[in-house]
Amino acid sequence: MASPNYVAPGQFRNLRACMVCSIVQLQTKFVRDGCPNCEAFLELANHPDAVQECTSQVYEGLITLADPSTSWVARWQRLDGYVPGVYAVKVVGMLQDEILQQLEDSGVRYIPRDGSAADDDG
């Protein structure tokens, strides 16, 4: 029995990464279920246009996290507190101003996943 997160080799071109949390999933999974970390404020489920605006097919590197709460890699990538899964190291793309405003209004501190943000945690 295949895992619910199994991606057949021919489906790799349909993978997308969330530009907010960097989780990588099939485009159809984003449309069907939304983002498991960001759904409360991005509302991607059943909105294919929103999936196109908030996810990217262009990303670098993959990290598989089984337990983000205890992983030093999760802390380093600012993924602690997210669900277990596969995450991109970098996600290329820019969110539209309306979405950035929506994040701010929801109290979400947006950290660009393309490596352009300076590290201000330390």
Side-chain angles (χ1 to χ4, degrees), residues 1-116:
M1 183 168 122
S3 161
N5 294 322
Y6 173 75
V7 177
Q11 293 292 309
F12 291 149
R13 70 176 51 118
N14 296 321
L15 289 172
R16 297 185 72 87
C18 176
M19 285 193 257
V20 177
C21 71
S22 78
I23 195 162
V24 176
Q25 305 184 125
L26 286 169
Q27 180 174 352
T28 53
K29 189 167 173 70
F30 274 117
V31 172
R32 186 181 65 239
D33 303 331
C35 177
N37 298 308
C38 307
E39 189 58 22
F41 46 87
L42 287 182
E43 300 174 350
L44 301 180
N46 300 312
H47 296 100
D49 291 341
V51 170
Q52 291 294 320
E53 294 171 357
C54 298
T55 65
S56 175
Q57 284 184 302
V58 184
Y59 54 87
E60 296 177 18
L62 293 173
I63 300 168
T64 301
L65 295 176
D67 187 358
S69 63
T70 61
S71 168
W72 71 267
V73 174
R75 285 192 305 276
W76 171 63
Q77 286 293 118
R78 297 179 177 138
L79 301 172
D80 44 334
Y82 289 158
V83 300
V86 177
Y87 291 83
V89 175
K90 284 186 177 183
V91 181
V92 177
M94 301 261 312
L95 290 171
Q96 296 178 358
D97 290 339
E98 307 87 59
I99 296 168
L100 293 172
Q101 186 61 50
Q102 184 180 346
L103 293 175
E104 188 176 311
D105 293 346
S106 298
V108 175
R109 181 172 168 248
Y110 173 64
I111 301 166
R113 297 290 177 174
D114 63 0
S116 65

